[in-house]
Structures are given as C-alpha cells and as structure tokens.
Amino acid sequence: MIAFRDNGKGNSEGDDLDKDKIQKSLQKLLDIIYDDPEFYPGSHHENVDISYVVQAIYQLLFDEKNHSVHLIIDRKHNESLDLTIDKIE
C-alpha cells in the first residue's frame, strides 16, 4: 500500500489534485512492473528491424485498443533501428 504524508499545510483542493495525479502515476508504474509488458511509455528497443516496429504499432493500437502512439525511430549506421515508445494514449 502507498500512503502520502501530510505536509502540515492542510488539505487544499490543489493538494488533493496533486495527490490524485501522483497516485495515478504510481499505479501506472506498478502496472508496468507487475504486468511486464513489452511496449510501454519510455521503453527502448535497440537493433530492431522494420517488422518489429510494425509489430509494436499493431500490438499497441489494435491488440491493446489504444488511440495513438508516439514513436521515436533512429536509424543506425549498420541499417538497424532503435525504437523508443514515447507516448501511448
């Protein structure tokens, strides 16, 4: 269980929103750790080929039913690719 320490300033509405945002972010992190998905925001995949990129797009958009994926693809000197999943919505 995760608990938040009271900072002594009372409970204002802004503090509650910050706590909710932090709690949601921590829950996302725990989901990533325990589910151990192959593709998640911030994941980096080195020395892949174009079919791997297509696989990632298909899995994220169609299998997992997301609406958009932001990717960073870098071509390396040996003609392989580095794939970074930037954002999933």
Side-chain angles (χ1 to χ4, degrees):
M1 176 171 196
I2 298 173
F4 297 97
R5 185 183 315 184
D6 184 15
N7 60 6
K9 296 179 182 176
N11 285 338
S12 67
E13 188 175 315
D15 289 342
D16 290 339
L17 292 176
D18 288 342
K19 286 180 183 179
D20 288 340
K21 189 175 181 179
I22 291 170
Q23 187 174 12
K24 287 178 184 178
S25 296
L26 289 173
Q27 186 60 51
K28 277 185 179 180
L29 180 61
L30 288 172
D31 290 344
I32 289 170
I33 291 169
Y34 285 112
D35 291 340
D36 194 26
E38 185 174 7
F39 307 111
Y40 55 89
S43 65
H44 181 73
H45 310 270
E46 292 183 339
N47 298 319
V48 300
D49 59 14
I50 193 70
S51 64
Y52 190 84
V53 176
V54 172
Q55 173 192 347
I57 293 169
Y58 186 87
Q59 180 177 333
L60 291 168
L61 291 179
F62 299 104
D63 291 344
E64 297 179 12
K65 310 241 187 289
N66 293 296
H67 298 289
S68 79
V69 179
H70 299 204
L71 305 173
I72 300 170
I73 302 170
D74 298 309
R75 189 180 80 175
K76 298 178 82 173
H77 66 281
N78 64 356
E79 299 301 320
S80 68
L81 303 171
D82 284 352
L83 171 67
T84 304
I85 309 296
D86 186 42
K87 189 175 180 183
I88 301 171
E89 297 177 331

